[in-house]
Amino acid sequence: MNRILVTGGAGFIGSALVRHLINNTDHAVFNIDKLTYAGHLASLADVSENERYSFLRADICDEKTVSEAFETFKPDWVMHLAAESHVDRSIDGASDFIQTNIVGTYKLLEASRSYLNKHSNPDFRFLHISTDEVFGSLGEEGMFSETTAYDPRSPYSSSKASSDHLVRAWYHTYGLPVLITNCSNNYGPYQYPEKLIPVVLMKALRQEPIPVYGKGENIRDWLFVDDHVRALEQVIENGRLGETYTVGGHNEIKNIDLVHHICTILDEIRPRSNGQFYKELITFVQDRPGHDLRYAIDASNIKKELGWVPEETFETGIKKTISWYLENEQWIQEVTGSAFKFPRLGLDS
């Protein structure tokens, strides 16, 4: 058993990781989360009473509290997922992204270094979970890999790129035992409805216009969240210290094709009462500033070194996702509340 400190464990990917660790391993998990708009303990209801799980509501930028958490819990591993993560929000207000993603990562690195200086632990590891958006935009060909140069285009991706560089610097300068992963777009159950797939689902179910940026030509590589957390487990257990691993789902699809696919599935399993097709709700809105055209991940290295491959195809993953949202409307209501407004730019353009 290892003692794992997870930051951002009430968020989308973080809660999936916590559920996986509690339900499928014998590790003890200490979850630190600030519980901002996208972090919800409702996503952890199934594990909240487990004796191997504990939670602290705190800001990772709070140096004193974080240091005390290290001393109290005495982690073997740190899995750092706490981040502001929505590009649209970063365009509208970058300050929180700079603070949490850059300053917060710095505080965690320093807390880890101070802890190790006091308590020698040869098994200690610090896994920093990042994004493929740090690499910028691809043309029609090529894929991101561990050796791709950084070229961030938004405040969000720039803040994540900065945090990646800090983590590497603490490895080379101080010898902190770190690892980094850069993943493609995640989807699945419990995702807060600001990202594309849950936005499409909620808009469709509310019989409201479904917003699509530009002409919907942007291409993303989609990774089912449970596949991602299995990759994270493999990396922190068996990855080479100081290394980066790119994690992708092998599912490239245009946004407009994705939206049409979701609409088609909904037509089959929950037809509209007026007999019309869901695709008739699609509305093209003004594109996001600096919207990257295409992302695609070359995940051959993590397959070769660690044996990880995604288990879900996009067909199976999207059906599981849609079914979960249809069956868990109470969770949606609980995390959004009556005053919820879709935080996507362009809706009023």
PDB file of all heavy atoms in Angstrom, residues 114-141:
ATOM      1  N   SER A 114      10.753  20.180   0.572  1.00  0.00           N
ATOM      2  CA  SER A 114      10.958  20.371   2.007  1.00  0.00           C
ATOM      3  C   SER A 114      10.642  19.094   2.782  1.00  0.00           C
ATOM      4  O   SER A 114      11.375  18.718   3.715  1.00  0.00           O
ATOM      5  CB  SER A 114      10.072  21.519   2.494  1.00  0.00           C
ATOM      6  OG  SER A 114      10.170  21.685   3.886  1.00  0.00           O
ATOM      7  N   TYR A 115       9.570  18.422   2.388  1.00  0.00           N
ATOM      8  CA  TYR A 115       9.191  17.188   3.055  1.00  0.00           C
ATOM      9  C   TYR A 115      10.274  16.119   2.911  1.00  0.00           C
ATOM     10  O   TYR A 115      10.638  15.431   3.887  1.00  0.00           O
ATOM     11  CB  TYR A 115       7.867  16.689   2.485  1.00  0.00           C
ATOM     12  CG  TYR A 115       7.452  15.335   2.983  1.00  0.00           C
ATOM     13  CD1 TYR A 115       6.958  15.174   4.272  1.00  0.00           C
ATOM     14  CD2 TYR A 115       7.554  14.214   2.168  1.00  0.00           C
ATOM     15  CE1 TYR A 115       6.578  13.922   4.743  1.00  0.00           C
ATOM     16  CE2 TYR A 115       7.179  12.967   2.622  1.00  0.00           C
ATOM     17  CZ  TYR A 115       6.690  12.827   3.912  1.00  0.00           C
ATOM     18  OH  TYR A 115       6.327  11.581   4.367  1.00  0.00           O
ATOM     19  N   LEU A 116      10.819  15.979   1.711  1.00  0.00           N
ATOM     20  CA  LEU A 116      11.847  14.970   1.481  1.00  0.00           C
ATOM     21  C   LEU A 116      13.149  15.302   2.190  1.00  0.00           C
ATOM     22  O   LEU A 116      13.911  14.398   2.570  1.00  0.00           O
ATOM     23  CB  LEU A 116      12.091  14.804  -0.022  1.00  0.00           C
ATOM     24  CG  LEU A 116      11.045  14.001  -0.789  1.00  0.00           C
ATOM     25  CD1 LEU A 116      11.425  13.894  -2.255  1.00  0.00           C
ATOM     26  CD2 LEU A 116      10.870  12.611  -0.190  1.00  0.00           C
ATOM     27  N   ASN A 117      13.426  16.575   2.370  1.00  0.00           N
ATOM     28  CA  ASN A 117      14.626  16.963   3.116  1.00  0.00           C
ATOM     29  C   ASN A 117      14.534  16.541   4.574  1.00  0.00           C
ATOM     30  O   ASN A 117      15.552  16.299   5.231  1.00  0.00           O
ATOM     31  CB  ASN A 117      14.839  18.479   3.022  1.00  0.00           C
ATOM     32  CG  ASN A 117      15.352  18.906   1.662  1.00  0.00           C
ATOM     33  OD1 ASN A 117      15.922  18.100   0.928  1.00  0.00           O
ATOM     34  ND2 ASN A 117      15.138  20.171   1.317  1.00  0.00           N
ATOM     35  N   LYS A 118      13.303  16.450   5.084  1.00  0.00           N
ATOM     36  CA  LYS A 118      13.095  16.054   6.478  1.00  0.00           C
ATOM     37  C   LYS A 118      12.884  14.555   6.621  1.00  0.00           C
ATOM     38  O   LYS A 118      13.254  13.957   7.632  1.00  0.00           O
ATOM     39  CB  LYS A 118      11.878  16.782   7.053  1.00  0.00           C
ATOM     40  CG  LYS A 118      12.015  18.291   7.122  1.00  0.00           C
ATOM     41  CD  LYS A 118      10.716  18.912   7.628  1.00  0.00           C
ATOM     42  CE  LYS A 118      10.789  20.423   7.624  1.00  0.00           C
ATOM     43  NZ  LYS A 118       9.487  21.037   8.061  1.00  0.00           N
ATOM     44  N   HIS A 119      12.259  13.950   5.620  1.00  0.00           N
ATOM     45  CA  HIS A 119      11.872  12.542   5.711  1.00  0.00           C
ATOM     46  C   HIS A 119      12.352  11.813   4.453  1.00  0.00           C
ATOM     47  O   HIS A 119      11.711  11.866   3.415  1.00  0.00           O
ATOM     48  CB  HIS A 119      10.354  12.396   5.820  1.00  0.00           C
ATOM     49  CG  HIS A 119       9.735  13.249   6.886  1.00  0.00           C
ATOM     50  ND1 HIS A 119       9.759  12.912   8.218  1.00  0.00           N
ATOM     51  CD2 HIS A 119       9.084  14.443   6.807  1.00  0.00           C
ATOM     52  CE1 HIS A 119       9.140  13.837   8.924  1.00  0.00           C
ATOM     53  NE2 HIS A 119       8.724  14.783   8.097  1.00  0.00           N
ATOM     54  N   SER A 120      13.447  11.140   4.555  1.00  0.00           N
ATOM     55  CA  SER A 120      13.975  10.412   3.405  1.00  0.00           C
ATOM     56  C   SER A 120      13.002   9.307   2.999  1.00  0.00           C
ATOM     57  O   SER A 120      12.542   8.525   3.834  1.00  0.00           O
ATOM     58  CB  SER A 120      15.333   9.803   3.751  1.00  0.00           C
ATOM     59  OG  SER A 120      15.821   9.034   2.678  1.00  0.00           O
ATOM     60  N   ASN A 121      12.674   9.284   1.706  1.00  0.00           N
ATOM     61  CA  ASN A 121      11.759   8.265   1.197  1.00  0.00           C
ATOM     62  C   ASN A 121      12.172   7.923  -0.230  1.00  0.00           C
ATOM     63  O   ASN A 121      11.851   8.641  -1.179  1.00  0.00           O
ATOM     64  CB  ASN A 121      10.319   8.782   1.219  1.00  0.00           C
ATOM     65  CG  ASN A 121       9.308   7.716   0.776  1.00  0.00           C
ATOM     66  OD1 ASN A 121       9.686   6.684   0.240  1.00  0.00           O
ATOM     67  ND2 ASN A 121       8.030   7.985   0.990  1.00  0.00           N
ATOM     68  N   PRO A 122      12.894   6.833  -0.417  1.00  0.00           N
ATOM     69  CA  PRO A 122      13.377   6.468  -1.756  1.00  0.00           C
ATOM     70  C   PRO A 122      12.271   6.139  -2.743  1.00  0.00           C
ATOM     71  O   PRO A 122      12.494   6.105  -3.947  1.00  0.00           O
ATOM     72  CB  PRO A 122      14.260   5.245  -1.493  1.00  0.00           C
ATOM     73  CG  PRO A 122      13.744   4.674  -0.205  1.00  0.00           C
ATOM     74  CD  PRO A 122      13.293   5.851   0.606  1.00  0.00           C
ATOM     75  N   ASP A 123      11.064   5.907  -2.240  1.00  0.00           N
ATOM     76  CA  ASP A 123       9.941   5.562  -3.113  1.00  0.00           C
ATOM     77  C   ASP A 123       9.096   6.773  -3.497  1.00  0.00           C
ATOM     78  O   ASP A 123       8.119   6.635  -4.244  1.00  0.00           O
ATOM     79  CB  ASP A 123       9.041   4.529  -2.426  1.00  0.00           C
ATOM     80  CG  ASP A 123       9.763   3.225  -2.156  1.00  0.00           C
ATOM     81  OD1 ASP A 123      10.560   2.810  -3.012  1.00  0.00           O
ATOM     82  OD2 ASP A 123       9.543   2.638  -1.079  1.00  0.00           O
ATOM     83  N   PHE A 124       9.444   7.958  -2.995  1.00  0.00           N
ATOM     84  CA  PHE A 124       8.636   9.154  -3.248  1.00  0.00           C
ATOM     85  C   PHE A 124       8.623   9.492  -4.738  1.00  0.00           C
ATOM     86  O   PHE A 124       9.662   9.449  -5.415  1.00  0.00           O
ATOM     87  CB  PHE A 124       9.180  10.341  -2.465  1.00  0.00           C
ATOM     88  CG  PHE A 124       8.315  11.581  -2.567  1.00  0.00           C
ATOM     89  CD1 PHE A 124       7.267  11.776  -1.688  1.00  0.00           C
ATOM     90  CD2 PHE A 124       8.546  12.532  -3.552  1.00  0.00           C
ATOM     91  CE1 PHE A 124       6.459  12.912  -1.773  1.00  0.00           C
ATOM     92  CE2 PHE A 124       7.750  13.666  -3.649  1.00  0.00           C
ATOM     93  CZ  PHE A 124       6.708  13.856  -2.756  1.00  0.00           C
ATOM     94  N   ARG A 125       7.443   9.884  -5.217  1.00  0.00           N
ATOM     95  CA  ARG A 125       7.291  10.307  -6.612  1.00  0.00           C
ATOM     96  C   ARG A 125       6.273  11.434  -6.701  1.00  0.00           C
ATOM     97  O   ARG A 125       5.293  11.448  -5.950  1.00  0.00           O
ATOM     98  CB  ARG A 125       6.840   9.143  -7.509  1.00  0.00           C
ATOM     99  CG  ARG A 125       7.911   8.072  -7.683  1.00  0.00           C
ATOM    100  CD  ARG A 125       7.483   6.966  -8.623  1.00  0.00           C
ATOM    101  NE  ARG A 125       8.642   6.212  -9.069  1.00  0.00           N
ATOM    102  CZ  ARG A 125       8.753   5.636 -10.256  1.00  0.00           C
ATOM    103  NH1 ARG A 125       7.754   5.729 -11.128  1.00  0.00           N
ATOM    104  NH2 ARG A 125       9.829   4.974 -10.590  1.00  0.00           N
ATOM    105  N   PHE A 126       6.507  12.333  -7.647  1.00  0.00           N
ATOM    106  CA  PHE A 126       5.619  13.473  -7.877  1.00  0.00           C
ATOM    107  C   PHE A 126       5.192  13.423  -9.340  1.00  0.00           C
ATOM    108  O   PHE A 126       6.016  13.626 -10.242  1.00  0.00           O
ATOM    109  CB  PHE A 126       6.369  14.780  -7.583  1.00  0.00           C
ATOM    110  CG  PHE A 126       5.536  16.040  -7.711  1.00  0.00           C
ATOM    111  CD1 PHE A 126       5.156  16.749  -6.580  1.00  0.00           C
ATOM    112  CD2 PHE A 126       5.152  16.538  -8.956  1.00  0.00           C
ATOM    113  CE1 PHE A 126       4.413  17.928  -6.680  1.00  0.00           C
ATOM    114  CE2 PHE A 126       4.402  17.692  -9.069  1.00  0.00           C
ATOM    115  CZ  PHE A 126       4.030  18.394  -7.927  1.00  0.00           C
ATOM    116  N   LEU A 127       3.924  13.115  -9.577  1.00  0.00           N
ATOM    117  CA  LEU A 127       3.400  13.047 -10.948  1.00  0.00           C
ATOM    118  C   LEU A 127       2.583  14.296 -11.233  1.00  0.00           C
ATOM    119  O   LEU A 127       1.586  14.568 -10.560  1.00  0.00           O
ATOM    120  CB  LEU A 127       2.540  11.800 -11.134  1.00  0.00           C
ATOM    121  CG  LEU A 127       1.776  11.688 -12.457  1.00  0.00           C
ATOM    122  CD1 LEU A 127       2.721  11.759 -13.654  1.00  0.00           C
ATOM    123  CD2 LEU A 127       0.942  10.404 -12.502  1.00  0.00           C
ATOM    124  N   HIS A 128       3.003  15.026 -12.250  1.00  0.00           N
ATOM    125  CA  HIS A 128       2.318  16.247 -12.672  1.00  0.00           C
ATOM    126  C   HIS A 128       1.504  15.927 -13.915  1.00  0.00           C
ATOM    127  O   HIS A 128       2.047  15.510 -14.945  1.00  0.00           O
ATOM    128  CB  HIS A 128       3.359  17.330 -12.975  1.00  0.00           C
ATOM    129  CG  HIS A 128       2.798  18.580 -13.557  1.00  0.00           C
ATOM    130  ND1 HIS A 128       1.892  19.369 -12.889  1.00  0.00           N
ATOM    131  CD2 HIS A 128       3.019  19.189 -14.749  1.00  0.00           C
ATOM    132  CE1 HIS A 128       1.592  20.415 -13.641  1.00  0.00           C
ATOM    133  NE2 HIS A 128       2.252  20.319 -14.776  1.00  0.00           N
ATOM    134  N   ILE A 129       0.175  16.129 -13.836  1.00  0.00           N
ATOM    135  CA  ILE A 129      -0.710  15.804 -14.944  1.00  0.00           C
ATOM    136  C   ILE A 129      -0.977  17.064 -15.749  1.00  0.00           C
ATOM    137  O   ILE A 129      -1.499  18.051 -15.234  1.00  0.00           O
ATOM    138  CB  ILE A 129      -2.030  15.189 -14.430  1.00  0.00           C
ATOM    139  CG1 ILE A 129      -1.781  13.789 -13.852  1.00  0.00           C
ATOM    140  CG2 ILE A 129      -3.045  15.081 -15.571  1.00  0.00           C
ATOM    141  CD1 ILE A 129      -1.305  13.762 -12.434  1.00  0.00           C
ATOM    142  N   SER A 130      -0.620  17.043 -17.028  1.00  0.00           N
ATOM    143  CA  SER A 130      -0.730  18.214 -17.884  1.00  0.00           C
ATOM    144  C   SER A 130      -1.567  17.889 -19.124  1.00  0.00           C
ATOM    145  O   SER A 130      -2.302  16.901 -19.148  1.00  0.00           O
ATOM    146  CB  SER A 130       0.662  18.727 -18.270  1.00  0.00           C
ATOM    147  OG  SER A 130       0.596  19.978 -18.918  1.00  0.00           O
ATOM    148  N   THR A 131      -1.429  18.706 -20.151  1.00  0.00           N
ATOM    149  CA  THR A 131      -2.326  18.652 -21.300  1.00  0.00           C
ATOM    150  C   THR A 131      -1.557  18.700 -22.610  1.00  0.00           C
ATOM    151  O   THR A 131      -0.436  19.230 -22.662  1.00  0.00           O
ATOM    152  CB  THR A 131      -3.306  19.845 -21.256  1.00  0.00           C
ATOM    153  OG1 THR A 131      -4.049  19.918 -22.475  1.00  0.00           O
ATOM    154  CG2 THR A 131      -2.563  21.160 -21.089  1.00  0.00           C
ATOM    155  N   ASP A 132      -2.171  18.205 -23.680  1.00  0.00           N
ATOM    156  CA  ASP A 132      -1.559  18.309 -25.001  1.00  0.00           C
ATOM    157  C   ASP A 132      -1.622  19.729 -25.551  1.00  0.00           C
ATOM    158  O   ASP A 132      -0.943  20.060 -26.527  1.00  0.00           O
ATOM    159  CB  ASP A 132      -2.201  17.333 -25.985  1.00  0.00           C
ATOM    160  CG  ASP A 132      -3.700  17.539 -26.176  1.00  0.00           C
ATOM    161  OD1 ASP A 132      -4.289  18.407 -25.497  1.00  0.00           O
ATOM    162  OD2 ASP A 132      -4.293  16.825 -27.005  1.00  0.00           O
ATOM    163  N   GLU A 133      -2.414  20.600 -24.920  1.00  0.00           N
ATOM    164  CA  GLU A 133      -2.560  21.960 -25.433  1.00  0.00           C
ATOM    165  C   GLU A 133      -1.273  22.778 -25.303  1.00  0.00           C
ATOM    166  O   GLU A 133      -1.135  23.814 -25.955  1.00  0.00           O
ATOM    167  CB  GLU A 133      -3.726  22.661 -24.739  1.00  0.00           C
ATOM    168  CG  GLU A 133      -5.053  21.986 -25.025  1.00  0.00           C
ATOM    169  CD  GLU A 133      -6.250  22.831 -24.630  1.00  0.00           C
ATOM    170  OE1 GLU A 133      -6.187  24.062 -24.788  1.00  0.00           O
ATOM    171  OE2 GLU A 133      -7.247  22.249 -24.169  1.00  0.00           O
ATOM    172  N   VAL A 134      -0.333  22.318 -24.478  1.00  0.00           N
ATOM    173  CA  VAL A 134       0.942  23.032 -24.361  1.00  0.00           C
ATOM    174  C   VAL A 134       1.723  22.998 -25.670  1.00  0.00           C
ATOM    175  O   VAL A 134       2.616  23.827 -25.895  1.00  0.00           O
ATOM    176  CB  VAL A 134       1.815  22.444 -23.229  1.00  0.00           C
ATOM    177  CG1 VAL A 134       1.102  22.549 -21.895  1.00  0.00           C
ATOM    178  CG2 VAL A 134       2.211  21.002 -23.515  1.00  0.00           C
ATOM    179  N   PHE A 135       1.390  22.053 -26.556  1.00  0.00           N
ATOM    180  CA  PHE A 135       2.140  21.890 -27.799  1.00  0.00           C
ATOM    181  C   PHE A 135       1.624  22.772 -28.934  1.00  0.00           C
ATOM    182  O   PHE A 135       2.223  22.810 -30.012  1.00  0.00           O
ATOM    183  CB  PHE A 135       2.096  20.429 -28.255  1.00  0.00           C
ATOM    184  CG  PHE A 135       2.659  19.458 -27.258  1.00  0.00           C
ATOM    185  CD1 PHE A 135       1.900  18.387 -26.805  1.00  0.00           C
ATOM    186  CD2 PHE A 135       3.944  19.616 -26.762  1.00  0.00           C
ATOM    187  CE1 PHE A 135       2.407  17.485 -25.891  1.00  0.00           C
ATOM    188  CE2 PHE A 135       4.469  18.719 -25.845  1.00  0.00           C
ATOM    189  CZ  PHE A 135       3.697  17.648 -25.405  1.00  0.00           C
ATOM    190  N   GLY A 136       0.511  23.466 -28.712  1.00  0.00           N
ATOM    191  CA  GLY A 136      -0.007  24.343 -29.756  1.00  0.00           C
ATOM    192  C   GLY A 136      -0.943  23.624 -30.696  1.00  0.00           C
ATOM    193  O   GLY A 136      -1.701  22.743 -30.298  1.00  0.00           O
ATOM    194  N   SER A 137      -0.887  23.983 -31.973  1.00  0.00           N
ATOM    195  CA  SER A 137      -1.835  23.462 -32.955  1.00  0.00           C
ATOM    196  C   SER A 137      -1.114  22.670 -34.041  1.00  0.00           C
ATOM    197  O   SER A 137      -0.040  23.066 -34.507  1.00  0.00           O
ATOM    198  CB  SER A 137      -2.604  24.620 -33.595  1.00  0.00           C
ATOM    199  OG  SER A 137      -3.577  24.149 -34.496  1.00  0.00           O
ATOM    200  N   LEU A 138      -1.733  21.551 -34.446  1.00  0.00           N
ATOM    201  CA  LEU A 138      -1.203  20.741 -35.549  1.00  0.00           C
ATOM    202  C   LEU A 138      -1.893  21.100 -36.853  1.00  0.00           C
ATOM    203  O   LEU A 138      -3.039  21.569 -36.864  1.00  0.00           O
ATOM    204  CB  LEU A 138      -1.447  19.259 -35.273  1.00  0.00           C
ATOM    205  CG  LEU A 138      -0.598  18.582 -34.191  1.00  0.00           C
ATOM    206  CD1 LEU A 138      -1.184  17.214 -33.872  1.00  0.00           C
ATOM    207  CD2 LEU A 138       0.852  18.448 -34.648  1.00  0.00           C
ATOM    208  N   GLY A 139      -1.204  20.840 -37.951  1.00  0.00           N
ATOM    209  CA  GLY A 139      -1.826  20.917 -39.261  1.00  0.00           C
ATOM    210  C   GLY A 139      -2.586  19.633 -39.547  1.00  0.00           C
ATOM    211  O   GLY A 139      -2.985  18.911 -38.636  1.00  0.00           O
ATOM    212  N   GLU A 140      -2.770  19.328 -40.806  1.00  0.00           N
ATOM    213  CA  GLU A 140      -3.553  18.152 -41.165  1.00  0.00           C
ATOM    214  C   GLU A 140      -2.824  16.848 -40.854  1.00  0.00           C
ATOM    215  O   GLU A 140      -3.457  15.799 -40.739  1.00  0.00           O
ATOM    216  CB  GLU A 140      -3.907  18.201 -42.653  1.00  0.00           C
ATOM    217  CG  GLU A 140      -4.854  19.340 -43.023  1.00  0.00           C
ATOM    218  CD  GLU A 140      -5.231  19.332 -44.492  1.00  0.00           C
ATOM    219  OE1 GLU A 140      -4.760  18.417 -45.208  1.00  0.00           O
ATOM    220  OE2 GLU A 140      -5.997  20.210 -44.919  1.00  0.00           O
ATOM    221  N   GLU A 141      -1.509  16.905 -40.718  1.00  0.00           N
ATOM    222  CA  GLU A 141      -0.739  15.691 -40.466  1.00  0.00           C
ATOM    223  C   GLU A 141       0.115  15.860 -39.212  1.00  0.00           C
ATOM    224  O   GLU A 141       0.276  16.956 -38.688  1.00  0.00           O
ATOM    225  CB  GLU A 141       0.159  15.368 -41.669  1.00  0.00           C
ATOM    226  CG  GLU A 141      -0.609  15.088 -42.958  1.00  0.00           C
ATOM    227  CD  GLU A 141       0.315  14.750 -44.112  1.00  0.00           C
ATOM    228  OE1 GLU A 141       1.552  14.863 -43.927  1.00  0.00           O
ATOM    229  OE2 GLU A 141      -0.180  14.369 -45.177  1.00  0.00           O
TER     230      GLU A 141
END
